[in-house]
Amino acid sequence: MKKYTSRATKWLAILTIISVAVLIAGIICILPHSSNVGLQIGLTMLGGLMSILFLACYFVEKSRYLTIDCEKIVLPRGADKNGKMSFQKIVININEIRSIKSELYKGDGIISKDTLFHKLKLKDGIAIKFTLYAYGKDAEKEILESIKKHV
């Protein structure tokens, strides 16, 4: 079984650690009763608020993993199932997949980049559309090769 997590997970963990360090620095400044109250309050509030924000984002992003094994694929939330967005994970048995097709959607280059949308057609007629851009190009190729190998 192979589990893929998004590239943003690592950066959110690093930002969380930096925010916790700022929070600790603010607490350390409070302890000796220094005269710079603005620094104490600023570091403590900034570190505390940013720690909560980045930690919450880290856990949300960490829960959006994709899993592939020899029997099934577990897609994260956000995939379209017959044109409707699914807010829960979708489990697909590999032997139910009839075909996979990838389509390139051109981005504007400013806000969005070019993205491949992948569409799985199942034997029972269900179409599932999803993207893999969050996992990186290498992981995207590996995931697609793994799916195509079983189809």
Side-chain angles (χ1 to χ4, degrees):
M1 175 166 68
K2 182 94 175 176
K3 184 176 177 181
Y4 298 92
T5 57
S6 75
R7 295 172 294 168
T9 306
K10 177 178 77 171
W11 290 106
L12 287 169
I14 291 169
L15 290 171
T16 302
I17 291 169
I18 291 170
S19 299
V20 169
V22 170
L23 174 64
I24 291 171
I27 292 171
I28 289 172
C29 287
I30 290 173
L31 293 178
H33 299 292
S34 67
S35 61
N36 196 349
V37 177
L39 178 68
Q40 297 169 352
I41 293 172
L43 286 177
T44 306
M45 287 183 61
L46 178 70
L49 292 174
M50 297 309 274
S51 296
I52 292 169
L53 175 70
F54 289 132
L55 188 63
C57 290
Y58 169 76
F59 283 124
V60 167
E61 197 63 32
K62 188 174 168 119
S63 73
R64 292 194 69 238
Y65 60 87
L66 182 137
T67 308
I68 295 179
D69 63 15
C70 58
E71 297 174 4
K72 66 182 180 215
I73 301 169
V74 180
L75 295 174
R77 317 181 288 282
D80 288 346
K81 191 172 184 179
N82 286 336
K84 295 180 182 176
M85 184 176 284
S86 174
F87 294 106
Q88 57 189 359
K89 294 182 180 191
I90 298 175
V91 179
I92 304 165
N93 289 328
I94 295 249
N95 58 3
E96 292 179 8
I97 299 173
R98 181 185 313 159
S99 67
I100 183 166
K101 180 180 164 187
S102 299
E103 296 177 21
L104 178 67
Y105 285 87
K106 289 287 201 181
D108 58 11
I110 298 169
I111 296 174
S112 62
K113 294 185 177 181
D114 297 346
T115 305
L116 280 173
F117 279 82
H118 310 287
K119 188 180 247 183
L120 291 174
K121 294 258 185 169
L122 304 182
K123 291 178 181 174
D124 58 0
I126 295 174
I128 299 172
K129 190 175 184 179
F130 60 97
T131 62
L132 299 171
Y133 66 89
Y135 304 102
K137 291 188 184 265
D138 295 334
E140 183 173 11
K141 287 178 186 176
E142 188 177 317
I143 292 166
L144 289 174
E145 287 174 7
S146 177
I147 293 171
K148 288 177 181 178
K149 180 176 69 173
H150 290 93
V151 173

